[in-house]
Amino acid sequence: MTQTLINPTPKDYKSEVKPTWCPGCGDFGVLNAAFRGLAEMKLPTDQTVVVSGIGCSSRFPHFMKTFGFHSVHGRALPVAQGLKMARPDLNVITVGGDGDFFSIGAGHLIHAALRNIDITVVVMDNEIYGLTKGQTSPTSPHGHVTKSTPYGLLASQFNPIATALSLNVSFVARGYSAKPKDLAALIQQGVQHKGFSFIHALSPCPTFYHTFDAWDAAVTPIDSGHDTQDKAQAIALALETEKQYTGIFYKEERPTMDQAAHQLVQESKSFDIAQYMQRYA
Amino acid sequence: MENEVTIRIGGESGEGTISGGDILALASARWGYHVYTFRTFPAEILGGPCMFQVRISDHPVKSMGDYADVLICLNKEAYDRNVGELRHGGVLMYDPSDFTPEAGDYITYAVPFNEIARKEVQLFQTKNMVMLGAICGLFGPPLEAIIQVVQSKLSRSRKANATLMEKNLLALDVAKKYVSEKITKSDPYLLGPVEKADRVVLNGNQAIVAGALAAQCRYFAGYPITPASDIMEGMAKELPQVGGTFLQAEDEIAALASVLGASFGGVRAMTATSGPGFSLMTELIGLSSMAELPAVIVDAQRAGPSTGMPTKMEQSDLSFALNAGHGDTPRIVMAPSNVANCYELIIQAFEMAERYQMPVLFLSDQSLTARVESVDSHVFKKPEIHGRIQYNGKHASNGSNGHQAEPMLVGAGAGAHEYERYANTPTGISPISTPGAGAPAYVATGLEHDEAGHPNYEPEDHTEMMQKRFRKLATAAAEMPKPQRYGDADATIGVIGWGSTEGTIQEAVDRARAKGLKVASLHPTILSPLPDEAIQEFISSVQKVIVPENNYSGQFANLLGAKYGLQAVRLNKYGGIPFTAAEILRAIEEVH
């Protein structure tokens, strides 16, 4: 009795819970892009789960009509992978911020990439910790002055796209919250991609780190001639820090772990305890 | 007592001490005897002293035995370490080329293990087979029983080849002949033929895997850790056979997080770990409790704190399991009492996790993970499985806050009614909806939330939801089976234990009663919520209560003191080794 939505509109994915974000937050753009992308795919709300960790952006699932799992800080990826392994029939989308994915949960990113489990990740990156009111994040630029780096950030800046490419992620893209139509298309392609999809969504924080103007100037669509199978070129684009390239950097189809695991179970039998215990007789 | 013997083998890790012991235990059990094993080994793969003890009897055995009747030493260090555990008048078997034992109150049999393996069999690795052949010749079981086990073990081994099998058989045969020709038996230990019974032989971890599969656990995620890894390895092998999936996670945090993901998807899910990994899981235990997602978490306790002694036994995670996590976090805590109970209780763990939608912490321990027991086959019956209380399109009937029983509209769109995932019901249990089944969507969250699952920080809401979550524990306490008293109805001395010590305590009670003392014991397997009535009744029925536990601080005694004002006689052992029945018997006699 799963339900199919007939000609859904973005509004059909919007819940009655009002977003808690500051006026002008980039995450509104990402949320609208998600509504739009899901509507275009006609994803059934009861077969779609949006998983998040903790942070401003991780409130996301509450604002959607789909199933949601708002977990704990940094653990959205393992929650989503367990869900997809157990229930490969569901559409699993993982959302969160740069703190969730690149700091406290950074270790999980490596293994999600290696497993290539068919989930889509949307990282809303504002280069700052917003929910805790303005401390440095792994994606803050070197020298950046925040409440926790009063003398300037001494560490270097994390490069999400280059990292994803180096981890052999099978779908790597970047979008910008101020361009929700393009971002919606990336989310759609990410969800449709069979494998681990990584979408880096630039999503400025108007309260603690206003990057709208800088990103408006830096965001540059990847040239339409770019070969999405060319990893060397993708890495070159990712390392270009003056510009923030948007679009699909790299894409590759390869077996997913959830598929492989379920191929193993295709021949499975029902469990019979008496028969099972024969091995100990 | 003629048809009973406790044999201890001491040697070096990596030279077949443990595998030799395993073969002896298995062969004896298949021959028809009851067995109960105990082993110690170093954390290293190769090298370091290890020991295997098996108690073999024609009647059911509940503990590892106070002393070894027969001690076999494969080197001098094994002799130094173990001779103190040899019964007066027992048997010491050794190789005179290794050492010369001091004179003592024991019978000595000198058998040239090394020379037979090197010269006659011409394969030194068969030394443990030489030892087994000597055991057959002097104490039973028959050689055929040993050969059968060796053959089936070798047939499954990658190292198997005809020459190796031939050499093993030769070693067994030569050693048996040697002892029957050269040794004059002067001890009383000889196992005679017994009737074959319908039993299985397995350890606690294997019983947990069997129980989890029978309980329809279909997702497992874990991270390797001693002594829980074989649960993970068992599930990795078996789950695909029964339509389940498995994930070796990058750490224990990811393991439990992914278990909660699978559980959200409606699949029965589990992880298994030991103390250090369990520590890492605490934040997610809180999430499981707050988001009301079922999860079964096995903690095969080992000696702590920190890395502690990975291969040694301790019951020291109880306080932690009862309280792990910040905030007030309802959970169920259980501790299996023996190998059979590992099967039965893990099934109950899944049933309770699913019914009450909360984490179940399952406290096994190192001694139980590796303890091999012979168990009546009928213990392993098909369990009755009850699913989660699913949301069925209507509100849960609810007397407390006036909800109408009104059909829900499923899915998206304007005017859809809200599904109250966390409906405040009289039992505290809220019907759950599973993705992909046409049921209405909701958001599981670790934030405090209202009945619909929306974040809510109002004082009234938090108060109500706290009460609702804890009400499930009261419901569970009312619904769960009560522990049964063991021993005298008119006992003056009571023993209350928990976990893997049950058999040892009961054996001590039996022996005290045989001496005319009035003793009884109680052994709850569910430790949160505690069966208050049964415990209070037991405490008030006796004059003194002894609480034996393998930890320093008396964690269970502390709990019983806090909950019931019990001033228990504490019996704590924390060297990494389980109690013997003699130690508990001594405490009973001292209290008397």
Side-chain angles (χ1 to χ4, degrees):
Chain A
M1 56 181 270
T2 55
Q3 60 159 115
T4 315
L5 297 178
I6 302 156
N7 299 326
T9 66
K11 263 173 77 181
D12 287 326
Y13 293 88
K14 187 179 176 191
S15 84
E16 53 292 333
V17 179
K18 271 202 171 137
T20 38
W21 299 322
C22 303
C25 176
D27 294 348
F28 284 106
V30 182
L31 185 64
N32 285 326
F35 293 155
R36 186 193 290 256
L38 268 54
E40 269 165 35
M41 282 181 279
K42 302 184 183 183
L43 279 196
T45 51
D46 77 319
Q47 290 168 49
T48 304
V49 187
V50 179
V51 181
S52 70
I54 294 296
C56 292
S57 53
S58 282
R59 282 286 185 111
F60 209 92
H62 290 285
F63 313 139
M64 300 200 62
K65 264 262 152 74
T66 61
F67 274 92
F69 193 151
H70 180 200
S71 73
V72 291
H73 198 24
R75 314 305 166 202
L77 276 174
V79 168
Q81 291 172 84
L83 175 61
K84 186 68 182 182
M85 285 294 282
R87 291 290 307 275
D89 56 310
L90 298 174
N91 307 298
V92 181
I93 301 168
T94 315
V95 299
D98 37 312
D100 246 357
F101 289 106
F102 307 142
S103 187
I104 187 169
H108 303 307
L109 190 61
I110 299 170
H111 302 279
L114 294 176
R115 293 179 190 125
N116 197 34
I117 292 174
D118 185 15
I119 58 176
T120 304
V121 174
V122 181
V123 187
M124 283 159 266
D125 187 358
N126 55 12
E127 301 189 351
I128 198 80
Y129 279 39
L131 191 66
T132 49
K133 299 193 166 76
Q135 300 83 4
T136 184
S137 130
T139 48
S140 299
H142 178 76
H144 190 48
V145 175
T146 70
K147 287 180 194 163
S148 63
T149 52
Y151 308 104
L153 174 62
L154 304 177
S156 40
Q157 187 177 25
F158 183 81
N159 185 326
I161 296 283
T163 302
L165 289 167
S166 77
L167 292 174
N168 210 18
V169 171
S170 63
F171 179 99
V172 181
R174 181 188 280 137
Y176 182 27
S177 66
K179 298 190 170 179
K181 235 176 158 173
D182 297 345
L183 186 54
L186 290 178
I187 291 173
Q188 199 177 335
Q189 290 174 80
V191 171
Q192 281 160 350
H193 172 75
K194 289 274 164 238
F196 182 59
S197 315
F198 178 88
I199 299 164
H200 183 222
L202 301 172
S203 181
C205 173
T207 309
F208 295 105
Y209 190 22
H210 200 289
T211 52
F212 279 102
D213 298 340
W215 280 344
D216 279 346
V219 161
T220 311
I222 294 172
D223 189 85
S224 57
H226 171 63
D227 177 3
T228 55
Q229 310 269 313
D230 184 346
K231 187 171 273 185
Q233 182 59 32
I235 290 176
L237 291 173
L239 294 178
E240 172 66 68
T241 46
E242 292 297 305
K243 284 180 179 163
Q244 293 276 6
Y245 283 105
T246 54
I248 298 172
F249 285 73
Y250 185 73
K251 200 166 104 171
E252 155 190 41
E253 289 279 334
R254 63 172 198 269
T256 72
M257 191 189 259
D258 50 304
Q259 263 175 347
H262 282 270
Q263 268 156 17
L264 283 179
V265 309
Q266 269 167 11
E267 308 262 313
S268 68
K269 302 173 281 281
S270 64
F271 181 74
D272 181 85
I273 184 65
Q275 202 183 345
Y276 181 82
M277 292 309 290
Q278 284 302 313
R279 68 189 66 192
Y280 300 120
Chain B
M1 290 284 276
E2 303 88 63
N3 259 353
E4 172 168 330
V5 64
T6 300
I7 298 176
R8 179 180 288 208
I9 305 161
E12 180 91 3
S13 174
E15 65 174 5
T17 313
I18 300 285
S19 64
D22 263 331
I23 292 166
L24 174 61
L26 203 52
S28 306
R30 295 223 171 120
W31 187 31
Y33 274 81
H34 293 271
V35 298
Y36 185 114
T37 73
F38 168 61
R39 62 186 73 186
T40 66
F41 34 78
E44 297 75 23
I45 297 301
L46 210 63
C50 61
M51 177 278 273
F52 186 99
Q53 181 167 307
V54 57
R55 188 171 170 194
I56 308 167
S57 177
D58 63 355
H59 59 274
V61 279
K62 292 183 165 183
S63 81
M64 63 190 194
D66 298 342
Y67 297 102
D69 301 316
V70 174
L71 173 64
I72 298 150
C73 296
L74 296 179
N75 58 42
K76 172 74 162 54
E77 191 186 357
Y79 166 75
D80 292 337
R81 286 178 163 270
N82 294 293
V83 73
E85 309 281 316
L86 179 58
R87 176 184 300 284
H88 291 291
V91 176
L92 172 71
M93 186 153 55
Y94 69 103
D95 183 335
S97 74
D98 288 331
F99 65 94
T100 308
E102 287 164 34
D105 182 14
Y106 43 74
I107 302 158
T108 54
Y109 297 151
V111 182
F113 302 128
N114 298 310
E115 195 185 307
I116 293 174
R118 266 205 195 95
K119 295 205 175 136
E120 296 199 43
V121 186
Q122 301 205 328
L123 184 67
F124 187 60
Q125 289 98 295
T126 61
K127 185 174 167 180
N128 64 345
M129 293 294 140
V130 174
M131 169 192 77
L132 285 172
I135 292 171
C136 285
L138 288 164
F139 314 108
L143 204 53
E144 302 77 64
I146 300 274
I147 290 171
Q148 230 175 41
V149 175
V150 173
Q151 266 168 342
S152 76
K153 278 206 177 216
L154 262 187
S155 70
R156 272 177 281 143
S157 159
R158 267 168 294 167
K159 288 180 278 182
N161 60 58
T163 327
L164 188 59
M165 189 62 217
E166 211 173 284
K167 295 264 183 199
N168 278 326
L169 294 183
L170 181 64
L172 287 166
D173 198 51
V174 170
K176 188 177 178 219
K177 276 198 188 115
Y178 179 91
V179 296
S180 55
E181 281 165 19
K182 300 280 169 71
I183 292 191
T184 315
K185 188 172 167 69
S186 52
D187 67 83
Y189 307 110
L190 185 62
L191 299 170
V194 281
E195 216 170 294
K196 217 171 147 56
D198 187 12
R199 285 188 212 113
V200 286
V201 190
L202 70 168
N203 67 33
N205 277 353
Q206 290 165 333
I208 286 172
V209 171
L213 294 169
Q216 293 177 9
C217 172
R218 293 297 177 265
Y219 181 79
F220 183 100
Y223 186 79
I225 188 166
T226 302
S229 299
D230 24 327
I231 298 176
M232 182 180 87
E233 291 161 8
M235 294 303 274
K237 182 154 187 280
E238 301 304 331
L239 273 175
Q241 311 274 333
V242 296
T245 49
F246 167 86
L247 187 74
Q248 180 172 325
E250 55 271 29
D251 56 41
E252 286 87 349
I253 297 174
L256 183 51
S258 84
V259 160
L260 295 182
S263 180
F264 180 81
V267 174
R268 289 188 166 208
M270 166 190 181
T271 183
T273 186
S274 187
F278 185 42
S279 293
L280 289 180
M281 290 177 180
T282 38
E283 189 187 10
L284 288 145
I285 290 168
L287 178 63
S288 165
S289 189
M290 185 63 148
E292 303 194 44
L293 286 169
V296 173
I297 301 149
V298 175
D299 171 15
Q301 299 167 95
R302 63 193 219 188
S306 190
T307 311
M309 302 194 287
T311 58
K312 302 292 178 189
M313 183 265 191
E314 207 164 83
Q315 297 179 292
S316 52
D317 290 352
L318 176 62
S319 300
F320 183 52
L322 291 168
N323 299 295
H326 55 277
D328 281 326
T329 315
R331 84 285 310 277
I332 290 163
V333 179
M334 294 182 172
S337 57
N338 56 42
V339 171
N341 192 234
C342 280
Y343 177 78
E344 293 164 333
L345 199 67
I346 197 81
I347 292 168
Q348 199 180 349
F350 278 99
E351 286 294 291
M352 291 182 79
E354 297 286 318
R355 174 157 176 76
Y356 306 112
Q357 301 178 20
M358 63 169 79
V360 175
L361 312 180
F362 192 84
L363 297 179
S364 172
D365 68 51
Q366 185 275 335
S367 72
L368 194 48
T369 63
R371 182 204 296 173
V372 173
E373 285 185 60
S374 45
V375 184
D376 285 344
S377 293
H378 70 74
V379 165
F380 298 89
K381 51 181 181 282
K382 190 180 174 185
E384 214 177 289
I385 300 294
H386 307 87
R388 294 176 191 180
I389 299 177
Q390 292 285 339
Y391 181 73
N392 65 0
K394 287 190 171 128
H395 276 297
S397 63
N398 186 317
S400 68
N401 60 1
H403 276 143
Q404 308 257 314
E406 188 181 3
M408 299 281 284
L409 295 178
V410 167
H417 288 226
E418 275 204 21
Y419 156 52
E420 299 207 313
R421 163 65 186 98
Y422 299 104
N424 192 355
T425 62
T427 55
I429 304 166
S430 318
I432 193 167
S433 139
T434 304
Y442 75 98
V443 179
T445 176
L447 276 179
E448 185 57 287
H449 43 264
D450 59 20
E451 291 178 79
H454 301 324
N456 187 319
Y457 303 161
E458 294 303 323
E460 298 78 15
D461 179 78
H462 184 50
T463 306
E464 255 185 44
M465 293 310 270
M466 281 309 270
Q467 289 169 350
K468 171 201 129 51
R469 287 188 290 269
F470 271 94
R471 203 176 309 131
K472 293 189 293 180
L473 274 188
T475 305
E479 293 176 348
M480 70 195 195
K482 307 286 172 279
Q484 295 301 309
R485 178 193 182 99
Y486 182 85
D488 293 315
D490 57 346
T492 55
I493 300 169
V495 185
I496 307 182
W498 67 279
S500 67
T501 55
E502 183 188 47
T504 312
I505 291 172
Q506 291 184 352
E507 189 177 319
V509 168
D510 289 343
R511 281 155 68 174
R513 292 172 73 200
K515 290 181 167 193
L517 302 181
K518 293 283 184 195
V519 192
S521 65
L522 192 72
H523 209 88
T525 51
I526 299 175
L527 305 170
S528 169
L530 273 176
D532 291 333
E533 213 175 296
I535 293 177
Q536 278 167 321
E537 200 179 284
F538 182 83
I539 290 173
S540 59
S541 78
V542 294
Q543 288 163 13
K544 278 181 179 161
V545 176
I546 304 169
V547 180
E549 43 187 332
N550 290 98
N551 58 48
Y552 175 84
S553 55
Q555 298 182 1
F556 194 42
N558 289 344
L559 179 66
L560 297 174
K563 281 209 76 168
Y564 312 112
L566 173 70
Q567 301 272 333
V569 176
R570 290 154 185 257
L571 180 62
N572 299 92
K573 183 175 182 180
Y574 37 89
I577 289 170
F579 284 109
T580 62
E583 287 167 335
I584 294 169
L585 177 63
R586 203 176 306 132
I588 293 171
E589 287 173 326
E590 276 168 18
V591 165
H592 183 68

